[in-house]
């Protein structure tokens, strides 16, 4: 219960889903957490839930001054910054390539890529001066494999993974680690929209069946990965993109592939005559 004892974290997009689950877990492990989000009401509720170890700060990650001010707020309140979790996100522009407007392109890139860049940019000097810190960004399996997400979502998440590696190379000798998490399908409003409990369960059922591990991800699964990367359990890990997807990105299981090919059960072992 004390893997983050004395540490201070700033989490973007912490009013909901993975960010909120991570804020709760970090505090239960001894951290103080600045919950940041565009959604003031939900963000303040999460911060209140965290008691004296939580605080809320309004941040639109696409605005550099918001991100910079949040980091100043955390360091002036609690004296340090150990973890910067760049997690805020949305689905971004959708549709065929010719239908995407320049404005929608800009908004998508501003939130999903520039927002991460601002978090890294403003956390780095504080952490370098301390000689320690962990910067974590939420990418996606969509950043590793095209096809199941909109064009700009998949492109910006790939860019987050590459930016993570590039910045990790720069900051490693300064004691600052930089990693990304690549979630698969996780039951949050971003994935299933604003659903009631019954429809959320249907979503879990439908997507869970397609996961090798037999269920969808929950926000707490991602929070556990963030805890590992934030804590001193991972001091030799930097520049990585940790996949947390129930095995979905590993490929299609051999028995499913053969079912698809034959329309029947698994293909039997081929035995050459005489063997
Ligand atoms: P969520 O909708 O539950 O939470 C996202 C939070 O980000 C919300 O509170 C929202 O208000 C906030 N936000 C959106 N735009 C913002 C902005 N410009 N500035 C500040 N806050 C903003 O979704 P989630 O699934 O918990 O998403 C967290 C991260 O995980 C995102 O980066 C998302 O792309 C990524 N992700 C999600 C899934 C999934 O299946 N849910 C899979 C892979 C990656």
């Amino acid at each position: 219960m004390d893997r983050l004892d004395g540490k201070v974290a700033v989490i973007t997009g912490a009013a909901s889903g993975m960010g909120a689950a991570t804020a709760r877990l970090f505090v239960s492990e001894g951290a103080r957490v600045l919950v940041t989000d565009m959604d003031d009401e939900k963000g303040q509720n999460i911060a209140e839930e965290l008691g004296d170890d939580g605080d809320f700060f309004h941040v639109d990650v696409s605005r550099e001054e918001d991100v910079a001010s949040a980091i100043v707020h955390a360091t002036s309140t609690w004296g340090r910054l150990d973890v910067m979790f760049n997690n805020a996100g949305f689905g971004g522009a959708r549709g065929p390539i010719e239908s995407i407007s320049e404005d929608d392109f800009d908004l998508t890139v501003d939130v999903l890529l520039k927002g991460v860049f601002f978090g890294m940019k403003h956390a780095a000097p504080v952490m370098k001066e301390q000689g320690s810190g962990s910067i974590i960004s939420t990418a996606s399996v969509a950043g590793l494999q095209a096809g199941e997400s909109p064009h700009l979502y998949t492109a910006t998440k790939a860019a987050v993974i590459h930016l993570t590696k590039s910045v990790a190379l720069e900051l490693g000798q300064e004691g600052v680690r930089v990693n990304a998490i690549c979630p698969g399908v996780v039951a949050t409003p971003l994935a299933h929209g604003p659903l009631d409990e019954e429809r959320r369960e249907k979503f879990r059922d439908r997507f869970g069946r397609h996961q090798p591990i037999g269920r969808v991800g929950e926000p707490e699964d991602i929070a556990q990965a963030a805890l590992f990367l934030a804590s001193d359990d991972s001091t030799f890990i930097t520049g990585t993109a940790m996949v947390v997807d129930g095995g979905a990105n590993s490929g299609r299981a051999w028995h499913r592939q053969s079912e698809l090919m034959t329309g029947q059960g698994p293909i039997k072992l081929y035995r050459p005559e005489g063997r």
Side-chain angles (χ1 to χ4, degrees), residues 16 18 37-38 59-61 87 138-139 153 157 184 186 188-190:
S16 173
M18 304 174 194
D37 207 284
M38 278 175 77
V59 168
D60 173 349
V61 292
N87 167 75
T138 311
Y153 189 86
K157 293 298 188 180
V186 179
T188 70
L190 184 145

Side-chain angles (χ1 to χ4, degrees), residues 12-20 36-40 42-43 58-63 66-67 85-91 107 110-112 115-116 137-142 149 153 157 181-192 203 217 219 222 244:
T12 68
S16 173
M18 304 174 194
T36 75
D37 207 284
M38 278 175 77
D39 188 326
D40 293 352
K42 282 194 190 158
H58 175 93
V59 168
D60 173 349
V61 292
S62 67
R63 295 168 52 91
D66 282 13
V67 179
F85 187 19
N86 303 305
N87 167 75
F90 74 139
L107 176 64
D110 282 357
V111 174
L112 293 179
V116 170
S137 303
T138 311
S140 169
V141 291
S149 302
Y153 189 86
K157 293 298 188 180
I181 298 174
C182 295
V185 181
V186 179
T188 70
L190 184 145
H192 54 51
F203 168 90
I222 308 308
V244 186

Side-chain angles (χ1 to χ4, degrees), residues 81-122:
L81 177 68
D82 301 286
V83 185
M84 179 73 211
F85 187 19
N86 303 305
N87 167 75
F90 74 139
R94 294 174 180 275
I97 192 71
E98 69 271 24
S99 72
I100 299 171
S101 70
E102 187 177 355
D103 279 354
D104 287 351
F105 176 95
D106 288 344
L107 176 64
T108 307
V109 174
D110 282 357
V111 174
L112 293 179
L113 178 57
K114 230 201 234 180
V116 170
F117 159 68
F118 290 148
M120 291 177 175
K121 175 179 169 181
H122 290 280

Side-chain angles (χ1 to χ4, degrees), residues 145-195:
Q145 169 99 52
E148 291 187 14
S149 302
H151 297 306
L152 300 182
Y153 189 86
T154 200
T156 50
K157 293 298 188 180
V160 167
I161 292 168
H162 233 68
L163 185 63
T164 295
K165 291 177 188 290
S166 186
V167 178
L169 297 176
E170 180 183 317
L171 299 182
Q173 305 244 338
E174 310 275 355
V176 182
R177 298 183 296 109
V178 188
N179 292 291
I181 298 174
C182 295
V185 181
V186 179
T188 70
L190 184 145
H192 54 51
L195 299 181

